[in-house]
């Protein structure tokens, strides 16, 4: 039973190392199992070894079977835990989200003036970028009063836009 508990503890130590060194040791594993798509990552190996050890110790301690049955149960449990860890890490690292909106995406959108826009200066408009309200400095060809609905004609900088009042 001591061997199984030692394997379980070793798996936990590997897991702590993978968290502390966060990818430093992954390069070695990538060179060994390059084409396995992260299946030989340190968290997967740690999960497998821990489950093998602790399941083997539980089976050996609670049943009258020998070390062979305990090892078989540990390998089965380790395989399940390793596979679940691999699937979970792949889901976390998946990059299928839509690209982040850029300031250029504002051209043609509408907004509201929150600080009036003078003739030769800047005011402020409230626009919605990806559903989130964002305040931008705004410039217009003519003065625009507070509360007026405007259209964005151009993005001047990352924090300012050119607008015109909406004609209805």
């Amino acid at each position: 039973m001591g061997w199984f508990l030692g394997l379980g503890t070793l798996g936990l130590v590997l897991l702590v190392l993978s968290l502390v060194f966060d990818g430093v040791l992954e390069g070695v594993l990538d060179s060994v199992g390059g084409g396995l798509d992260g299946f030989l990552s340190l968290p997967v190996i740690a999960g497998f070894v821990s489950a093998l050890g602790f399941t083997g110790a539980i089976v050996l301690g609670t049943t009258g079977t020998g070390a062979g049955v305990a090892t078989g149960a540990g390998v089965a449990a380790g395989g399940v835990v390793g596979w679940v860890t691999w699937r979970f890490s792949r889901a976390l690292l998946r990059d299928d989200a839509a690209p982040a909106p850029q300031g250029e995406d504002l051209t043609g959108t509408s907004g509201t003036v929150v600080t009036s826009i003078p003739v030769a200066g800047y005011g402020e408009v409230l626009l919605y970028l990806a559903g989130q309200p964002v305040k931008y400095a705004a410039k217009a060809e003519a003065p625009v009063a507070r509360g007026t609905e405007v259209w964005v004609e151009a993005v001047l900088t990352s924090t300012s836009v050119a607008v015109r009042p909406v004609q209805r």
Side-chain angles (χ1 to χ4, degrees):
M1 184 180 306
W3 283 99
F4 287 117
L5 291 175
L7 281 174
T9 305
L10 176 66
L12 291 178
V13 168
L14 284 175
L15 182 60
V16 169
L17 287 175
S18 73
L19 294 173
V20 169
F21 291 113
D22 192 29
V24 172
L25 302 175
E26 296 292 327
V28 174
L29 293 175
D30 287 342
S31 66
V32 171
L36 294 177
D37 193 24
F39 197 71
L40 283 180
S41 68
L42 207 50
V44 170
I45 293 171
F48 175 81
V49 172
S50 286
L52 185 150
F54 291 133
T55 302
I58 290 170
V59 169
L60 192 60
T62 59
T63 65
T65 60
V69 173
T71 301
V75 167
V80 169
V81 169
W83 181 80
V84 168
T85 304
W86 176 66
R87 294 294 296 175
F88 184 66
S89 65
R90 285 193 50 171
L92 287 176
L93 296 175
R94 186 175 29 230
D95 191 19
D96 60 355
Q102 302 293 316
E104 294 79 29
D105 296 336
L106 290 172
T107 304
T109 62
S110 65
T112 306
V113 176
V114 292
T115 303
S116 60
I117 304 171
V119 176
Y122 284 92
E124 292 179 322
V125 293
L126 184 64
L127 305 172
Y128 288 89
L129 182 60
Q132 297 297 316
V134 182
K135 196 184 310 185
Y136 279 85
K139 192 174 197 176
E141 292 181 8
V144 183
R146 181 176 185 252
T148 305
E149 185 177 2
V150 292
W151 286 99
V152 176
E153 290 184 318
V155 177
L156 303 175
T157 67
S158 62
T159 59
S160 66
V161 292
V163 297
R164 67 173 171 81
V166 173
Q167 303 293 327
R168 294 201 187 250

